[in-house]
Amino acid sequence: MILEIAQLQIKPGQEAEFEAAFLQAQRIIASMPGYLGHELQKCLEHADHYMLLVRWASVEHHEVGFRKSPQYQQWRALLHHFYDPFPTVLHYTHVAGPGLSTRAATEAQRP
């Protein structure tokens, strides 16, 4: 498994429109072979900054299977016009640590 990380900076004032478009776009990525899950996180300090985390079975599932698919053109049409600048996307592999369990993630969100 690999983790794709994209730091997204949205044009100021377009955050609500971006989030609405992402709700549609996430259905596209979730339907792709090799897709294992994703999260979109919004920065607390900068309202126009987001972090997209996508888990894939392999880099090839992302770079070839998704990015070279007809579905990617739909993804682009929904989202790419919101970015300024265009994001850098990197892939990571697990080195250490158990990660967050569902229980730990739930407890971390409690006030």
Side-chain angles (χ1 to χ4, degrees), residues 13-43:
Q14 296 188 8
E15 296 86 5
E17 293 88 348
F18 167 72
E19 290 179 21
F22 190 86
L23 289 176
Q24 294 177 25
Q26 70 182 351
R27 289 185 228 129
I28 297 168
I29 201 168
S31 72
M32 300 306 299
Y35 164 88
L36 301 174
H38 75 277
E39 296 177 45
L40 180 65
Q41 301 281 336
K42 185 172 186 170
C43 182

Side-chain angles (χ1 to χ4, degrees), residues 1-4 22-23 25-40 52-63 65-66 75:
M1 182 205 72
I2 61 104
L3 177 63
E4 166 200 353
F22 190 86
L23 289 176
Q26 70 182 351
R27 289 185 228 129
I28 297 168
I29 201 168
S31 72
M32 300 306 299
Y35 164 88
L36 301 174
H38 75 277
E39 296 177 45
L40 180 65
L52 176 61
L53 309 165
V54 185
R55 287 175 177 76
W56 295 98
S58 69
V59 173
E60 292 74 24
H61 280 104
H62 175 230
E63 293 288 322
F66 178 53
W75 172 271

Side-chain angles (χ1 to χ4, degrees), residues 71-109:
Q71 293 91 327
Y72 183 71
Q73 299 311 312
Q74 297 170 340
W75 172 271
R76 280 185 59 195
L78 283 167
L79 300 176
H80 285 200
H81 62 281
F82 289 108
Y83 306 144
D84 186 26
F86 195 79
T88 299
V89 176
L90 298 172
H91 300 95
Y92 296 83
T93 188
H94 183 261
V95 175
L100 284 177
S101 69
T102 303
R103 179 178 169 205
T106 302
E107 288 177 8
Q109 292 179 359

